Amino acid sequence: MSAPVRKAVIPAAGFGTRFLPVTKSVAKEMLPIVDKPAIQYVVEEAVAAGIEDILIISARGKDSIADHFDRHIELEVFLEGKGKLAEAREVRALGELADVTVIRQGEALGLGHAVGMARNHVGHEPFVVMLGDDLMHERAGVLRGMIEAYEARDASVVAFMEVARSEISAYGCASATPIDGESRLVRLEGLVEKPPADRAPSNLAVMGRYLFTPEIFDEIAKTQPGAGGEIQLTDAITALIGYQAVYGYTFSDGRYDAGKKLDFVRATIELALERDDLGPGLRDYLRDLVGRDFETGAI
Ligand code: G1P
């Protein structure tokens, strides 16, 4: 039987250059989508899939991430004193949401290097890596589906979505073969990081959720800097494929690229629409807004 997946690693050390200027002084992972920082959605996704041991790989200047998942007794007592009991409960629950550990990547050496830093914490166990830029809607059930695939095959699984050819150069890209009788799973043959469109082996793009057997750490340790001069996780996965089956879990819906400004706005609107407290008011506003004449520039 396959060992249970109990740990998640969330790399959150990047500068967030795609989201300047706010990321000059605010951690990208702390940007709010409605009223929660993006990274809270990722931690909640892990917890919903039964994973409560979370290691966040942070960096200098991003201590607000650790603060967010810590208890804040002073605030709890203050809220209780004001009779704001629901808010006090919410703040407390957040401090107890998961068993969160934060370490720092001292130097920006790449995603593969950041994941490699989790080795001591993870030990010899399967684990998931969750990138905060990719927010997955609950209805997509991506992490749960990947865990089921791992349990069935006892092998590493990487999440993929098909993207337009013109977009593939922003992603890790797979060459893969279909598996008889499987609608979502493919067998990976190799990965290449951010290939130019005319050299991409497919339009299957890596989507920021990985489930690894512990052997990935040996491969990361041997990986030399690749695309962009960084130690790439995709290169370590390709090395793993050399001697272990690795599967792709494909899905087509429910993902927001919170690292892209337009998708970030879309996530904010769509997730607010689903909320009981905000949805009705926002729907009325949007109905009114789309009726206006954008051509004149007067909104
Ligand atoms: C990273 C990975 C890439 C993956 C992408 C998904 O790239 O290196 O393989 O497709 O995340 O969001 P980044 O977006 O950090 O440049």
Side-chain angles (χ1 to χ4, degrees), residues 141-153:
V142 174
L143 203 55
R144 193 164 295 282
M146 291 172 70
I147 292 172
E148 280 167 15
Y150 158 77
E151 285 169 349
R153 306 240 166 203

Side-chain angles (χ1 to χ4, degrees), residues 98-116:
D99 180 3
V100 176
T101 306
V102 181
I103 61 172
R104 282 183 177 195
Q105 184 188 29
E107 220 182 326
L109 296 177
L111 179 61
H113 178 265
V115 173

